[in-house]
Amino acid sequence: MGQVRVAAAQYECVPGDVEANVQQMAALAQQAWELGAAVVFGPELCLTGYELETISADRRLWTAPDDARLAPLRGIGLTVVVNGVAAGPGDRPQIVSAVYGPDGALVTTYAKEHLYENEQEVFTAGSGGGRFWLDGVGYSLATCFDNHFPEVPARNAALGCQVHLASSLYGTEGGREERRTVHPAIAKATGMHVVLANHVGTAGPWTGCGGSAAWAPDGAVVTEADESGPQLLVADLEVEMSR
């Protein structure tokens, strides 16, 4: 057994401003590195904000893995997972998490598989993948509505992942209950630790409820952020190192 420190970046995005959101994410990533985290990740569409109409109308909000605007997120010294918009099959946009290793090199990408309601009008769904290994720990990736489909985290747990990273947007009202129930259920079903990075404040038509958190494999809360505003959640997780 060993311990790994994982950080979730909770913040309010600047609508349609990739550079400003990269700066927010980079500041929290730098803080995570200074605190000794191995991995830091952000909420769903944290590069653009949850601005579907703007994304649909403005291709400048799409980012390729080697986009110069993402340079502040690369080579910080820890693994950074950042969610934005990238070109997919047929040159249609997808909601994509890009994973950059401690040296800044691209490790993998993952495209959201299960699109929520009007996301289907803008994006093309992904088709699997969503995992990486770092220092003997396997990390599973899912984006918001993906976490409501048990086969997504179960697939990665079966392949040896021990930590599930959920980049999400849960709003006030019903989102609070979903945030509280979906993630511990994943933990108990898969035996993985589950960590959530959520929006806080205005997020397109929603108001992010914050509450980024980590749950142990038995579903117990390890640590939890509040709804007060941007903050970095840091969780120390006991895992069995694999490879």
Side-chain angles (χ1 to χ4, degrees), residues 21 39 64 81 146 149-150 179 191 236 243:
N21 292 318
V39 176
V81 183
D146 283 337
F149 294 81
R179 186 207 68 82
D236 290 322
R243 68 181 190 184

Side-chain angles (χ1 to χ4, degrees), residues 15-35:
D17 192 331
V18 172
E19 290 89 345
N21 292 318
V22 165
Q23 291 302 320
Q24 288 200 82
M25 182 69 190
L28 290 167
Q30 179 67 30
Q31 182 183 345
W33 177 77
E34 292 171 357
L35 292 172

Side-chain angles (χ1 to χ4, degrees), residues 56-108:
S56 179
D58 189 353
R59 188 174 177 133
R60 291 174 297 178
L61 297 183
W62 301 18
T63 52
D66 61 351
D67 194 305
R69 293 173 292 178
L70 305 185
L73 300 175
R74 299 197 289 267
I76 294 174
L78 77 170
T79 295
V80 178
V81 183
V82 63
N83 190 270
V85 182
D91 203 36
R92 283 180 50 80
Q94 292 184 306
I95 300 174
V96 173
S97 286
V99 181
Y100 298 101
D103 62 355
L106 182 70
V107 175
T108 192

Side-chain angles (χ1 to χ4, degrees), residues 89 94 110-114 124-131 146 155:
Q94 292 184 306
Y110 168 70
K112 184 176 183 178
E113 297 173 62
H114 298 281
T124 296
S127 59
R131 70 195 72 89
D146 283 337
R155 173 185 68 213

Side-chain angles (χ1 to χ4, degrees), residues 7-228:
Q10 172 177 298
Y11 61 94
E12 182 174 0
C13 295
V14 180
D17 192 331
V18 172
E19 290 89 345
N21 292 318
V22 165
Q23 291 302 320
Q24 288 200 82
M25 182 69 190
L28 290 167
Q30 179 67 30
Q31 182 183 345
W33 177 77
E34 292 171 357
L35 292 172
V39 176
V40 63
F41 71 110
E44 180 178 28
L45 291 176
C46 63
L47 290 177
T48 62
Y50 194 84
E51 307 292 332
L52 302 193
E53 290 185 7
T54 304
I55 291 167
S56 179
D58 189 353
R59 188 174 177 133
R60 291 174 297 178
L61 297 183
W62 301 18
T63 52
D66 61 351
D67 194 305
R69 293 173 292 178
L70 305 185
L73 300 175
R74 299 197 289 267
I76 294 174
L78 77 170
T79 295
V80 178
V81 183
V82 63
N83 190 270
V85 182
D91 203 36
R92 283 180 50 80
Q94 292 184 306
I95 300 174
V96 173
S97 286
V99 181
Y100 298 101
D103 62 355
L106 182 70
V107 175
T108 192
T109 59
Y110 168 70
K112 184 176 183 178
E113 297 173 62
H114 298 281
L115 300 174
Y116 182 72
E117 294 186 353
N118 59 345
E119 292 173 2
Q120 298 175 44
E121 301 172 7
V122 178
F123 302 107
T124 296
S127 59
R131 70 195 72 89
F132 65 96
W133 275 263
L134 175 69
D135 297 332
V137 179
Y139 295 88
S140 165
L141 300 172
T143 306
C144 204
F145 199 40
D146 283 337
N147 294 290
H148 295 245
F149 294 81
E151 63 271 19
V152 174
R155 173 185 68 213
N156 293 328
L159 292 170
C161 293
Q162 303 106 309
V163 180
H164 181 70
L165 307 178
S167 296
S168 300
L169 167 54
Y170 288 99
T172 53
E173 301 178 0
R176 288 190 175 101
E177 179 66 12
E178 289 181 310
R179 186 207 68 82
R180 187 185 67 81
T181 57
V182 168
H183 305 88
I186 292 172
K188 288 188 282 189
T190 63
M192 292 191 290
H193 295 270
V194 175
V195 188
L196 165 71
N198 194 29
H199 285 261
V200 67
T202 302
W206 315 103
T207 299
C209 68
S212 298
W215 291 266
D218 64 359
V221 174
V222 175
T223 185
E224 189 171 32
D226 59 26
E227 299 186 16
S228 64

